[in-house]
Amino acid sequence: MGKLFEGPDGRPRCNWCAATPEYIAYHDNEWGFPVNDDQRLFEKICLEGFQSGLSWRTVLAKRENFRKAFKKFDFNKVARFTEKDVERLLQDAGIIRHRGKIEATVNNAKRAKEMVKVEGSLAAYFWSHEPNSETRDISVVVSISPESVAISKDLKKRGWKFVGPTTVYAFMQAMGLVNDHAEGCVTRAKAIRMRKAFKKPT
């Protein structure tokens, strides 16, 4: 998928890493590796929502501030946030101060709690939508997929916000539900190994 970028160590990586040096560590150590931890899954789908209309670079630079502001994205804690917390966060220069996105994160924390009761875990829900990797053509660059459309539609039906198909697909890429590392990327083989060893949550 996509072209390659030669990193400072001379090794080829996905071309989007060329945008900023901060992307390289994120790409090499996180992006595309399977995740089954509910807190990390909740964090990522919230941060992808904050990214909407912006660059991931902006969000990545503020990620630690977001974690502090939102109790490390423990959705049981965030679900208890009140309007007073929203007003406090709107004054926090360390994060993206967008009322709709902040309120969506609090709302989605409540919806996440409901999902755990119904599905057992966020991980079980999201991994039940894992695409068939054998039928995917990674040479074609996409920003949505049939699965991201289906997840987005279902999440919205459950009351989640800021979870459009593009946001959901970016989440799927980052959390390893798909391996969109380019052919020839130094990290692609590692992502394949991790996906093979990954025990799919049920």
Side-chain angles (χ1 to χ4, degrees):
M1 174 183 173
K3 298 177 182 179
L4 295 173
F5 156 75
E6 186 176 297
D9 57 3
R11 298 191 297 171
R13 291 174 173 82
C14 298
N15 196 49
W16 56 265
C17 292
T20 174
E22 290 85 356
Y23 278 174
I24 295 177
Y26 173 69
H27 167 274
D28 289 0
N29 300 309
E30 294 184 57
W31 195 77
F33 299 162
V35 173
N36 63 3
D37 177 83
D38 277 10
Q39 204 160 313
R40 282 191 61 199
L41 291 166
F42 181 69
E43 172 187 302
K44 185 59 177 173
I45 202 158
C46 290
L47 291 182
E48 289 294 350
F50 272 101
Q51 184 196 343
S52 181
L54 304 169
S55 74
W56 177 242
R57 181 181 187 177
T58 301
V59 177
L60 188 61
K62 296 175 178 287
R63 185 164 64 166
E64 289 305 319
N65 296 332
F66 273 110
R67 287 171 173 167
K68 184 178 180 181
F70 287 100
K71 307 290 185 183
K72 298 181 180 178
F73 288 93
D74 180 335
F75 50 83
N76 290 300
K77 293 179 180 178
V78 177
R80 295 195 292 267
F81 279 20
T82 64
E83 179 60 30
K84 186 176 180 181
D85 292 299
V86 172
E87 295 300 329
R88 171 178 56 80
L89 292 169
L90 283 168
Q91 304 304 315
D92 187 342
I95 66 170
I96 294 164
R97 293 179 286 182
H98 183 290
R99 178 180 289 276
K101 294 176 181 180
I102 291 170
E103 289 178 342
T105 301
V106 177
N107 169 76
N108 292 350
K110 296 173 183 176
R111 305 293 81 82
K113 287 183 66 178
E114 293 168 356
M115 181 177 284
V116 169
K117 288 180 181 178
V118 175
E119 307 290 344
S121 67
L122 302 190
Y125 171 80
F126 286 116
W127 281 96
S128 71
H129 292 82
E130 179 189 11
N132 183 343
S133 59
E134 294 178 5
T135 62
R136 295 181 64 251
D137 182 359
I138 66 163
S139 66
V140 179
V141 179
V142 298
S143 60
I144 64 172
S145 70
E147 294 81 12
S148 78
V149 171
I151 293 171
S152 172
K153 188 175 180 180
D154 186 59
L155 288 176
K156 288 177 181 178
K157 191 183 295 183
R158 293 170 184 252
W160 292 62
K161 297 179 180 178
F162 277 91
V163 286
T166 303
T167 293
V168 171
Y169 191 71
F171 164 83
M172 292 172 69
Q173 289 177 305
M175 298 288 95
L177 276 86
V178 294
N179 180 7
D180 274 351
H181 284 282
E183 288 283 5
C185 169
V186 68
T187 310
R188 179 168 174 78
K190 182 179 178 182
I192 290 172
R193 289 195 303 271
M194 292 182 73
R195 281 173 54 82
K196 283 182 178 178
F198 181 72
K199 186 175 181 182
K200 192 171 173 178
T202 55

